[in-house]
Structures are given as structure tokens and as C-alpha cells.
Amino acid sequence: RNNYTKNPKRVVCYLGTWSVYHKIDPFEIEDIDVHRCTHVNYGFAKIDEYKYTIQVFDPYQDDSANPWDKKGYQRFNNLRKVNPELTTMISLGGWYEGSEKYSDMARNPTYRKNFVDSVIAFLAKYDFDGLDLDWEFPGSRLGDPAVDATNFLELVRELKTAFEPHGYLLTAAMSPGKDKIDLAYHIKELNELFDFMNIMT
């Protein structure tokens, strides 16, 4: 699913799953044009602020644990049956998730390990091809420590190491603003670790 020989251009699409709740013209998973996108990111999963593990954001919409759940993850990954070359990712974070608990997780080696282990289990359980990090943004919100950028880099290193035996993709949604880039990212090092980065414009 990650072979770009035929078409090296990536078209990365994000699904904002809250769109299913729109009263006028809701957008469902099956509305995604799977032949226009090469990669689709399911937005969003979240972090548990006590255990620092990846969690389902909206169990009713996303999960399939109960008969009444809408099985969003399963339906999303089933899009690969329509286009076998499609890559499906879970995107973690988003603006409304905040930044504080990401800072707390990334600064603590034990919390980082808990998080990385939980991501591996999550990707296997729900059959995603990889993780897209959408922490908005390391070091750039009021009260965030200046060490966020270094901790973010260490988190990405640990995720990359854990992903390699499984073949999972690791990507991120990144700010295009120089003010945030200077605070949030060690670009040269991250460029060696991420499979690719999605620049928000």
C-alpha cells in the first residue's frame, strides 16, 4: 500500500469525523473519493491525560466494541477494499486536543514508553497503516515549556524505532509558520525520521 512506483505523487486527505454530525449535508466515511487520495488520515484519536496512552476519541462513531457503535475505524479501513493501493492512517491530536498533556507525555520517559506501546497495540487492533502526529504545537502555546521541541524529537525517535519491525508509517501535520517552526521542530533531524510531513496551509 506504500508503493509509489506507478504514481509517486501523494495526495493526503484528512477526514474530520465530526462532519457526520452536521445537520445539513453530513459527510460520511463512504463519501471519501478513494481514487483521488493516496493516503487518508482519520481525525482524530486522543491521549488519555492520566495514563498517557492513545485512545479512541468518539467510541460511538469510531469503535465497534458494541453492536450499536458505528464502526468508523472498520468502515474507514475497509476503503482499501475499494482501492487496494490506498493507505489509511490514524491522526492523533488536532487543535482542540490542546498541547499540555502532549508536553507532559513527551517529557517523561515512562509516559513516552506507555504511549509508544499503546500506539503499536492500537494500530494492530484497528488495522491502520500508521500514525499521523498532529500535536498543535510543541512549545507554542501559553505555558508550554521551551524543551517541547527536544522532547517531541525524542518521542518521534522512539516511535520510529518501534514502528520499523511492523512497517508502520510515521507522519506528522506541521505548521508552515516560521514562528512555530522555530519553537516546535528540529527540522533536519525530523526529516530523517518521518516518512513524510504534511504542511498545514
Side-chain angles (χ1 to χ4, degrees):
R1 285 195 287 269
N2 304 314
N3 185 341
Y4 308 117
T5 305
K6 294 180 182 176
N7 180 11
K9 182 174 71 173
R10 297 186 197 99
V11 179
V12 182
C13 305
Y14 281 81
L15 171 69
T17 55
W18 55 90
S19 61
V20 301
Y21 296 115
H22 293 173
K23 292 181 179 178
I24 299 173
D25 197 21
F27 188 90
E28 296 284 350
I29 289 167
E30 290 74 21
D31 294 327
I32 297 170
D33 185 344
V34 298
H35 296 290
R36 174 172 292 183
C37 307
T38 61
H39 297 69
V40 282
N41 291 346
Y42 192 107
F44 291 101
K46 65 179 181 178
I47 287 182
D48 181 292
E49 60 188 314
Y50 302 107
K51 298 178 182 177
Y52 300 102
T53 55
I54 188 172
Q55 299 288 314
V56 174
F57 194 96
D58 180 352
Y60 169 66
Q61 178 59 229
D62 303 338
D63 212 343
S64 53
N66 302 300
W68 56 84
D69 292 336
K70 295 187 71 178
K71 301 175 176 57
Y73 291 164
Q74 181 179 320
R75 290 161 52 213
F76 184 78
N77 287 320
N78 280 346
L79 295 174
R80 296 182 304 218
K81 295 178 180 178
V82 182
N83 178 4
E85 295 185 359
L86 188 69
T87 298
T88 57
M89 310 273 287
I90 185 70
S91 191
L92 171 75
W95 181 255
Y96 290 105
E97 255 286 84
S99 183
E100 184 177 354
K101 59 186 174 180
Y102 290 81
S103 297
D104 292 342
M105 178 270 290
R107 76 160 62 101
N108 184 303
T110 301
Y111 293 163
R112 282 199 311 268
K113 184 178 188 313
N114 289 347
F115 172 72
V116 171
D117 290 346
S118 75
V119 170
I120 295 293
F122 188 98
L123 296 178
K125 178 179 179 179
Y126 294 111
D127 194 30
F128 286 102
D129 293 322
L131 175 74
D132 179 68
L133 283 173
D134 190 12
W135 174 0
E136 298 184 26
F137 299 97
S140 65
R141 294 209 197 177
L142 187 62
D144 283 358
V147 295
D148 266 3
T150 298
N151 293 337
F152 179 64
L153 175 61
E154 189 56 37
L155 173 65
V156 173
R157 280 196 183 111
E158 292 174 13
L159 283 165
K160 183 69 172 179
T161 299
F163 279 20
E164 283 182 345
H166 303 277
Y168 292 135
L169 280 179
L170 181 60
T171 68
M174 311 284 278
S175 172
K178 188 177 187 303
D179 58 333
K180 290 186 172 61
I181 291 169
D182 289 345
L183 285 171
Y185 311 128
H186 295 289
I187 292 292
K188 182 178 179 181
E189 292 87 347
L190 291 172
N191 197 44
E192 299 297 318
L193 295 168
F194 285 122
D195 290 286
F196 54 89
M197 294 178 272
N198 302 307
I199 309 304
M200 292 184 272
T201 62

